Amino acid sequence: MQQQATPSTHYGRLRAQLFAERHAATVREPLTLPVSERLLQCIWYDQRLAAGLRTAAGQPLEVVSPGWWNLEAGPDFRRATIRLNGRELTGDVEIHLRADDWFHHGHHHDPLYRNVILHVTLWAAGRAPPEIPLLVLADQLAAPLAQLHDEIDLDAYPYRTPHPAGRCSEVLAHLPADRVAALLEEAGTERFAAKTRRFQRALERAGPDQVFYEGWMEALGYKANKLAFRTLAQRLPADTARALTARDHLAAVLFGVADLLPTTRADAYTKRLWAAWWKLRPDYEERRLPVGSWKLAGIRPANHPHRRVGAAAALWRRHPDLREKILAAVADRQDAGRFFSELTDEYWSRHFTLGGRRQNRALELIGAARAAEIVANIVLPFAAAHPPLAAAAADRYAALKPAPSHAILRLAGQQLFAAAASRVVKTARQQQGLIQIFQDFCLTDTSACASCQFPELVRRWQEL
């Protein structure tokens, strides 16, 4: 049986205690895998559910549409459509960890919940409203909960805009600056340890080449297309990608399996990809990603999936032994980000999309800022999952410079400090700690801060 890991910092242990107290009567995953309603909302949003769903009463259930994610007051998802025992229903869906959370949250008195047609929970704990069908997901997920926890990036999903400043800002305002910095460092260390544990679990399921490949492919997907890139790496695993690279066929097969080859505006490069794909298509047709896998709305041109798939092919071509080079760089305490930031490609340095207009100025394929994020979130945690490299990876992580500000950092800074994060956060590890606290508490709180447990964590942490 897999040994359960223990949180490595005071922050992690206190968080685990608070989460355990919140759901003391519920059988849970290991506390190093904090399970929140937000995670369950993401699972529902992506429909990472098993086939042949049945309600707690045994009725067959089919999800026609999960609905749209509600960011205002009321049920979690609006206008969902389901088929329950063959009858089609349209209405709202409410998500909870436990069945009795319906009553704990006071929904039975709230008219906003009168149109709920399905109550989705992880565990069948306690009493549920008998008039609303109950779907318990503990044994009806598409993959083990630990795997879904590892694959889902909570930052990539819709979230409620927090208040200008949370209740925690008053608590933190009374802490000396060095104690605030220490708390953020601890939370950042815990975030790094959680990512390391994720890679350790992944290494039990697959070889190191495949695990690292899925990791950096997911990172190329940015927020919107992480799952699509991970799926592409699984459909064309590392040994297949390496063999195709040796025959100079990888780009054609990657774009073909990704279903991203355009049928119009085909320039000479795109035509070459099509010519190669038509010959190889019979061997890979069944691996193609389903229609709708890619999210294109709101994507900056430089981050278009075409460019990111092109970058993946270029990385394999330039560094077929990328994992070995990366681990050697970490062992020598060198900059592992250069393998990403220095990547060039004759076509993709001048194009945003296949068949698109050629740009006059050369473009970075993977910029320095993105390369630094890959190092912080993928390279160093992956290296730390190898015991001989754990110390070197931790040292490199502690020495990383802060990344450019982004939406989550801005929201978290305003929520926790009523100020820009850059005024408080001075290192990459502190940035990661701020993001971890925001994920653990702000994104899971639905009480407008009234019931948030972070101030209690700070109080217990001060007493250590």
Side-chain angles (χ1 to χ4, degrees), residues 215-238:
W216 63 255
M217 280 286 278
E218 182 182 89
L220 290 183
Y222 290 69
K223 291 196 299 184
N225 288 300
K226 286 188 174 185
L227 178 59
F229 269 89
R230 173 180 284 275
T231 304
L232 184 57
Q234 293 169 344
R235 302 252 176 129
L236 285 177

Side-chain angles (χ1 to χ4, degrees), residues 154-414:
L154 300 183
D155 292 343
Y157 291 79
Y159 44 84
R160 292 175 175 85
T161 302
H163 295 280
R167 187 165 60 96
C168 51
S169 65
E170 301 175 9
V171 178
L172 293 173
H174 291 87
L175 280 184
D178 61 331
R179 294 292 286 163
V180 173
L183 177 59
L184 292 174
E185 293 278 341
E186 278 216 354
T189 297
E190 187 58 39
R191 183 170 176 83
F192 182 79
K195 291 177 183 293
T196 299
R197 291 192 292 266
R198 169 190 172 184
F199 278 116
Q200 289 170 337
R201 291 189 294 270
L203 287 167
E204 294 180 357
R205 297 193 293 263
D209 271 356
Q210 181 63 25
V211 169
F212 185 55
Y213 172 40
E214 289 182 17
W216 63 255
M217 280 286 278
E218 182 182 89
L220 290 183
Y222 290 69
K223 291 196 299 184
N225 288 300
K226 286 188 174 185
L227 178 59
F229 269 89
R230 173 180 284 275
T231 304
L232 184 57
Q234 293 169 344
R235 302 252 176 129
L236 285 177
D239 54 352
T240 302
R242 185 174 288 107
L244 287 167
T245 300
R247 303 200 304 271
D248 198 26
H249 288 156
L250 179 61
V253 177
L254 274 175
F255 278 104
V257 172
D259 199 26
L260 288 175
L261 283 172
T263 56
T264 59
R265 297 184 306 162
D267 55 17
Y269 177 71
T270 308
K271 289 177 180 177
R272 287 200 301 272
L273 293 180
W274 265 115
W277 171 241
W278 277 116
K279 295 177 182 177
L280 298 166
R281 184 171 181 168
D283 295 330
Y284 297 97
E285 176 69 22
E286 293 183 357
R287 306 190 193 190
R288 290 175 70 183
L289 270 62
V291 174
S293 295
W294 300 100
K295 296 179 176 64
L296 304 179
I299 301 294
R300 293 176 56 235
N303 299 338
H304 195 283
H306 282 189
R307 293 199 84 229
R308 301 279 69 86
V309 172
L315 267 172
W316 273 109
R317 185 173 61 252
R318 177 82 177 273
H319 304 294
D321 54 349
L322 180 62
R323 180 180 63 87
E324 291 86 349
K325 290 179 177 178
I326 287 285
L327 294 182
V330 174
D332 294 337
R333 289 171 166 77
Q334 300 297 314
D335 176 23
R338 70 181 188 275
F339 297 105
F340 301 95
S341 62
E342 296 175 359
L343 186 68
T344 60
D345 181 88
E346 181 180 353
Y347 185 83
W348 291 111
S349 293
R350 296 282 182 174
H351 290 82
F352 290 131
T353 59
L354 284 172
R357 182 172 63 87
R358 188 178 190 276
Q359 302 300 306
N360 295 326
R361 182 175 59 87
L363 309 163
E364 290 180 322
L365 195 49
I366 300 176
R370 188 59 189 169
E373 289 191 25
I374 293 174
V375 168
N377 294 303
I378 303 298
V379 168
L380 293 179
F382 175 77
H386 300 69
L389 294 176
D395 288 346
R396 288 294 301 159
Y397 177 68
L400 291 177
K401 296 179 180 179
S405 183
H406 51 73
I408 294 296
L409 284 173
R410 288 191 291 271
L411 285 172
Q414 189 65 33

Side-chain angles (χ1 to χ4, degrees), residues 133-150:
L134 175 65
L135 177 65
V136 180
L137 295 183
D139 297 318
Q140 301 191 88
L141 297 171
L145 185 59
Q147 180 178 337
L148 295 176
H149 171 276
D150 289 347

